[in-house]
């Protein structure tokens, strides 16, 4: 059955990214994604939550075409951008089409300077004027990178390296930015700075698909979110809906707290329909 990716965030908006029934394997033994469907509307920030091994990075790698580098293969399903199919396309084609991934762990070039890292990000941008505009935008967003332009990237702090990784991705002027755990290993104050930057990037017109284990941060930023469990979407909804579910409270927001509404005798808010139920109704 084909699951219709739900979207209730902005009813009139056009889908930028549509992932349908994506099934991805690493070799014979590991099935990392088992029929994942999701959608990112033009101008949206969409979050994907999930525990270790849920399939979040595999999902982003499959969308960006970089999955082959980790010897994964697509068994079924599709990835569409602005109505065109890109399933299995090479990463370069996706960058040209406007999809750029910031991988988990930053992967900046430590021996190159900040400037050289940024230049590498803009390598597929042939239009010099556009490249210059992108660089100006990046240095405005991250003044610390402007100060450290000639410094080796490996000498930057973890937060600065994350900023550089995002800045490098922005050099390709993406329509859709894929962010894999940008808060990983960063102090709370720095996480706050990264969150502000993500909001600003989105305000300037870039759609964002954000994978995070830091659910608090992700649900602050996103309008719509999906929960991945063992390679399947187990929950999907607006962040307001997801925040109200027992599962998200318990597993991701540290809520083991007593149910105050229940104690006051108020009617409990309904738990969000399981994704599988939604898919069944849509199918
Ligand atoms: P994490 O937050 O720990 O990175 P994740 O949600 O991003 O977790 P994935 O990294 O996508 O999850 O992993 C999904 C499944 O695929 C896991 O069972 C993982 O062990 C497996 N997997 C991931 N990368 C590879 C690989 N290169 N080779 C084999 N199996 C892999």
């Amino acid at each position: 059955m084909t699951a219709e990716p739900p979207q209730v965030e902005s009813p009139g908006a056009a889908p930028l990214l549509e992932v349908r029934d994506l099934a991805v394997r690493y070799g014979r033994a590991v099935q990392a994604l088992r029929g994942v469907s999701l959608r990112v509307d033009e101008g949206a920030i969409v979050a994907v939550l999930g525990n270790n091994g849920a399939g979040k990075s595999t999902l982003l790698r499959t969308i960006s075409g970089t999955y082959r580098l980790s010897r994964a293969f697509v068994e079924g399903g599709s990835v569409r951008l602005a109505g065109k199919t890109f399933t299995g396309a090479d990463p370069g084609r996706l960058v040209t089409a406007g999809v750029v991934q910031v991988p988990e762990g930053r992967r900046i070039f430590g021996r190159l300077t900040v400037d050289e890292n940024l230049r590498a990000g803009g390598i597929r941008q042939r239009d010099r004027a556009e490249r210059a505009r992108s660089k100006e935008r990046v240095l405005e967003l991250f003044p610390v990178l402007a100060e450290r332009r000639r410094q080796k990237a490996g000498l930057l702090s973890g937060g600065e390296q994350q900023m550089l990784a995002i800045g490098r991705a922005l050099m390709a002027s993406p329509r859709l930015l894929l962010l894999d755990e940008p808060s990983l290993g960063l102090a709370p104050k720095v996480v706050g700075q990264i969150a502000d930057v993500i909001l600003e990037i989105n305000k300037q017109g870039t759609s964002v698909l954000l994978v995070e284990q830091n659910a608090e941060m992700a649900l602050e930023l996103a309008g719509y979110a999906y929960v991945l469990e063992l390679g399947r979407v187990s929950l999907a909804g607006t962040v307001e809906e997801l925040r109200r579910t027992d599962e998200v409270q318990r597993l991701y927001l540290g809520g083991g707290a007593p149910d105050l509404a229940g104690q006051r005798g108020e009617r409990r808010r309904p738990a969000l329909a399981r994704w599988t139920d939604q898919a069944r109704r849509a199918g």
Side-chain angles (χ1 to χ4, degrees):
M1 181 177 56
T2 303
E4 195 69 39
Q7 189 76 335
V8 292
E9 189 188 350
S10 40
L16 177 59
L17 174 75
E18 283 179 290
V19 170
R20 286 194 183 222
D21 286 334
L22 207 55
V24 176
R25 273 186 183 280
Y26 294 95
R28 274 169 185 271
V30 183
Q31 178 149 26
L33 299 181
R34 302 159 186 263
V36 169
S37 297
L38 65 74
R39 172 174 160 173
V40 179
D41 282 345
E42 194 84 60
I45 300 181
V46 172
V48 177
L49 308 178
N51 288 324
N52 284 331
K56 305 180 299 299
S57 296
T58 304
L59 174 64
L60 289 196
R61 283 188 215 125
T62 310
I63 295 168
S64 69
T66 55
Y67 64 97
R68 284 198 205 84
L69 303 173
S70 40
R71 300 198 177 174
F73 68 95
V74 177
E75 212 174 30
S78 62
V79 174
R80 289 168 70 80
L81 186 77
K84 284 196 192 135
T85 300
F86 282 87
T87 327
D90 73 79
R93 219 185 120 213
L94 276 145
V95 171
T96 305
V99 178
V100 182
Q101 181 178 359
V102 179
E104 186 178 333
R106 354 266 191 229
R107 308 269 175 88
I108 51 137
F109 305 117
R111 290 186 186 181
L112 301 186
T113 64
V114 166
D115 248 347
E116 287 163 342
N117 270 273
L118 293 177
R119 217 174 300 146
I123 211 156
R124 295 187 79 86
Q125 177 57 264
R126 297 251 163 81
D127 182 339
R128 279 179 73 173
E130 181 57 36
R131 230 173 27 225
R133 269 195 297 276
S134 296
K135 182 138 180 207
E136 208 175 304
R137 177 188 178 203
V138 168
L139 297 180
E140 255 172 44
L141 273 171
F142 301 109
V144 67
L145 298 183
E147 287 163 23
R148 310 277 173 91
R149 284 170 72 164
R150 281 171 193 87
Q151 192 172 324
K152 290 263 188 286
L155 298 175
L156 300 177
S157 70
E160 289 162 355
Q161 290 190 8
Q162 184 61 65
M163 291 172 194
L164 178 56
I166 296 174
R168 186 179 58 183
L170 291 178
M171 287 296 295
S173 313
R175 293 174 76 179
L176 175 65
L177 190 62
L178 309 175
L179 293 171
D180 196 346
E181 306 231 17
S183 78
L184 197 71
L186 302 181
K189 189 173 153 220
V190 184
V191 172
Q193 290 168 356
I194 298 285
D196 287 345
V197 162
I198 294 171
L199 280 178
E200 182 57 32
I201 289 167
N202 179 249
K203 222 167 23 172
Q204 292 179 8
T206 305
S207 309
V208 176
L209 181 58
L210 170 67
V211 154
E212 263 297 339
Q213 283 201 37
N214 182 338
E216 200 46 78
M217 175 208 193
L219 296 179
E220 276 303 317
L221 297 179
Y224 200 89
Y226 296 80
V227 177
L228 269 192
E229 258 175 59
L230 297 175
R232 287 200 171 87
V233 176
S234 61
L235 287 172
T238 63
V239 294
E240 293 78 17
E241 288 171 316
L242 282 180
R243 274 183 190 283
R244 291 199 295 257
T245 64
D246 291 344
E247 268 145 303
V248 169
Q249 280 292 331
R250 187 166 43 84
L251 295 173
Y252 302 104
L253 298 176
D259 180 348
L260 294 178
Q263 282 179 13
R264 288 198 300 263
E266 293 165 13
R267 197 165 67 83
R268 286 182 61 158
R269 283 174 286 207
L272 191 74
R274 288 223 143 243
W275 161 257
T276 43
D277 295 335
Q278 289 183 19
R280 214 169 284 133
R281 282 199 296 278

